[in-house]
Amino acid sequence: MYTYSEFDAAFVAERNRQFRAQVARRVDGSLTENEFKPLRLMNGLYLQLHAYMLRVAIPYGTLGSHQMRQLAVIAERWDKGHGHFTTRQNIQFNWPKLADVPDILDALGEVQMHAIQTSGNTIRNVTADHFAGAAADEVADPRPIAELIRQWSTDHPEFQALPRKFKVAVTGSPMDRAVTLAHDIGLRIVRRDGLIGYQVIVGGGLGRTPMIGKVLHDFLPEEDLLPYIEAVVSVWNSIGRRDNKFKSRIKITVHEHGVDDIRARVDLRYALIRPQFSGIDQQMLGAIRDDFRAPEFRVAPTDTYDAARKANPVFRAWADTNLAEHRAPGYAIVSISLKAHGETPGDATAEQMRVMADLAERYGHDELRISHEQNVILPHIHQSDLHAVHAALREVGLATANIGLISDIIACPGMDYCTLATARSIPIAQEIATRFDALKLEHEIGEMKIKISGCINACGHHHVGHIGILGLDRAGVENYQITIGGDGGADARLGDRTGPGFSADDIVPAIETIMLTYLKHRSNPSETFLAAYRRLGMAPFKTALYGEAEAAKAAKRKAVADVAA
Amino acid sequence: MPREFTPKVVTANTLLEGDVVYLTADDSWTRLLSEADILTDEADADLRLLTAESRASQVVGAYLADVSITDTGPEPTHFREEFRRTGPSNYFHGKQADLN
């Protein structure tokens, strides 16, 4: 775990002191709302549909037990007893009062957390593989470089008024669990000829114009990374469009200029600024690495785990679904599902947060992670402790055995909370989970990532869902469009739209239709939905959803469009 | 042809709590849509909105929301305003619980 330096602590304390004064001035009328709004957004404070919302950064999704406990305190003292974990590995509190926010920020500061740059046109919370430092397939831990990028980007004077928000994700594993191809900058740690370097991907993003990122540099030496990404952001800051907020993301800049032109501009800028990086960043990176050194993994028998698996089918089902392979013998990575059937995806109560913190402290080397899939990870659990962990999780409703299954749904807050949303997301996720739990088809269907967004901004990553659902307002009625075949993994791709959308009442039956079609047409039980879709194409799903006549019409329209293109 | 003016209420969020509120006939703020003043005259609605916007120490983001007139008072015509009236629909909490 990274520990704040004196500079970090003083910086956060000073920002909190400034914000306390700004809130006081807003309340006493010295500041207008127009003057205050950018100040509150700089500190992660939004005004949403029903209340204020405070977005708190969990850098690269890593936090310790004491930090999780403090989040529980905040949820209880200043909210309604819940926190909501998001796809950017943040936590959002949905009901803070304006006057309480300075106290909340101070409480966060006590445990080395903050809400800086969780909003605004600046470099946002850097995200990373939620199995970082633990995964068996990892080339290197992505968190040290993510922390260096966090320090570099925080209050970076050149990057506080960018054309739009800017998102960076890092993975240290070829099994990309950070969706790097759908970020403004995606960084993949790679090994070549024994050396560690970075593949730099640029111009990915979802939202109104979804795009898969392009490789800007295939192998950048470690010591060149920071000046290189500074050059990338700097180039975009100077040529990125500001005339239209819908065209201001770097993906549009890359699309309009072409990746070769962007690369040439970045190389020019890089040549200018590279000499200014004296190597201090590498010294800092070395110090940061010390903070992320692996815990001392113990060597102990695992026969109690084997015995529990044999004796307890509930435990076995959970272990089969919610554990991932750890790099240390005898250890496992535990994914705690925040997707109990019918619950709000990503929500955790204060009590649940405390239990997770206790388990991390007692069994998990004091470490927790938040996944972009809105679950909580205990990255280092010895197999002999898994049965006890499972039992404790069951006590508080956190032992749902559904990681990677159809009820493990990403859902943005949607119109239940968000001012930007045009339809609800969460109730659709709740209904899908409940429906497939009742049908007992969840395990039969197997690997399935459903992602739901309540508006075109795509906070729910619907474009890269195996099934994506986009909620829209169609003439004052909630309407849901479906895409299928999307993938947020190493070979990320965008889903294909099935056709006309469905009403709120019809969307869950439509998802059931797609699933039954898959089960009917798959070549064998081990063929995943994605593999089946890639083999079968859209036709059988379209026919099942809309009927033969509609499917034929849609195919004709597509053929005409293809010829026109 | 100018669009026909449909009934509206002035709504906003309170500055201190963020709660959804509505302007009443006596220019106070209520958390109940049923107590909101229904505005049927466009010029009056614009004036009331300006008045609301000027009260920046009380509310944020005032705007006119469409309603229909029923025997029990104003009813939202769009689902967004329905959720603002009741609170989130994912479980029973927020405004629907607070006002109970």
Side-chain angles (χ1 to χ4, degrees), chain A residues 344 347 361 364 490:
Chain A
T344 301
D347 268 15
E361 190 172 66

Side-chain angles (χ1 to χ4, degrees), chain A residues 136-400:
Chain A
D137 61 2
E138 188 171 86
V139 175
D141 188 338
R143 291 174 301 161
I145 193 65
E147 171 58 28
L148 185 68
I149 294 169
R150 184 189 75 83
Q151 293 188 19
W152 159 80
S153 65
T154 302
D155 246 16
H156 191 304
E158 189 181 344
F159 303 140
Q160 294 306 301
L162 293 169
R164 280 278 275 140
K165 59 188 169 184
F166 197 86
K167 299 176 179 178
V168 181
V170 196
T171 181
S173 157
M175 286 294 292
D176 187 347
R177 286 175 288 263
V179 209
T180 57
L181 284 169
H183 278 76
D184 296 306
I185 287 181
L187 300 172
R188 291 176 163 179
I189 303 176
V190 287
R191 187 186 299 276
R192 185 177 290 175
D193 301 328
L195 290 176
I196 293 288
Y198 297 89
Q199 185 184 58
V200 181
I201 296 154
V202 68
L206 302 176
R208 182 177 295 258
T209 313
M211 289 185 183
I212 295 297
K214 297 173 177 64
V215 175
L216 194 64
H217 202 299
D218 201 39
F219 187 85
L220 198 65
E222 187 154 85
E223 62 272 20
D224 295 335
L225 182 68
L226 208 56
Y228 192 80
I229 63 174
E230 178 154 315
V232 173
V233 184
S234 183
V235 164
W236 172 64
N237 196 23
S238 62
I239 65 170
R241 289 179 59 174
R242 295 172 193 263
D243 59 318
N244 179 342
K245 69 179 274 194
F246 302 120
K247 294 184 184 296
S248 55
R249 300 294 294 268
I250 194 172
K251 61 189 172 186
I252 303 295
T253 312
V254 172
H255 178 71
E256 290 183 346
H257 287 257
V259 71
D260 292 335
D261 176 80
I262 296 297
R263 186 181 295 112
R265 289 171 187 266
V266 168
D267 287 347
L268 270 177
R269 179 75 182 146
Y270 173 76
L272 272 177
I273 65 174
R274 182 66 185 90
Q276 296 166 20
F277 284 74
S278 61
I280 189 76
D281 59 312
Q282 291 306 294
Q283 289 175 30
M284 292 170 70
L285 182 60
I288 290 168
R289 280 219 170 87
D290 287 343
D291 280 332
F292 288 102
R293 59 189 174 277
E296 286 190 15
F297 297 121
R298 72 180 198 267
V299 178
T302 58
D303 42 338
T304 54
Y305 169 68
D306 299 328
R309 280 186 63 92
K310 279 182 190 152
N312 184 342
V314 174
F315 171 69
R316 185 168 64 244
W318 175 81
D320 286 346
T321 312
N322 292 33
L323 302 185
E325 194 180 349
H326 197 280
R327 70 190 215 198
Y331 274 77
I333 302 169
V334 174
S335 290
I336 301 172
S337 170
L338 298 185
K339 318 285 180 60
H341 300 104
E343 297 294 329
T344 301
D347 268 15
T349 66
E351 183 194 11
Q352 288 173 329
M353 289 184 216
R354 287 198 180 97
V355 167
M356 292 187 282
D358 291 347
L359 290 173
E361 190 172 66
R362 183 165 179 191
Y363 300 111
H365 298 278
D366 215 14
E367 286 194 35
L368 301 114
R369 310 283 164 71
I370 308 305
S371 77
H372 79 271
E373 292 173 317
Q374 299 179 285
N375 294 313
V376 176
I377 314 297
L378 299 173
H380 312 298
I381 304 292
H382 194 270
Q383 288 181 6
S384 60
D385 295 324
L386 286 170
H387 193 245
V389 168
H390 176 252
L393 292 173
R394 281 192 77 182
E395 292 281 315
V396 289
L398 287 175
T400 310

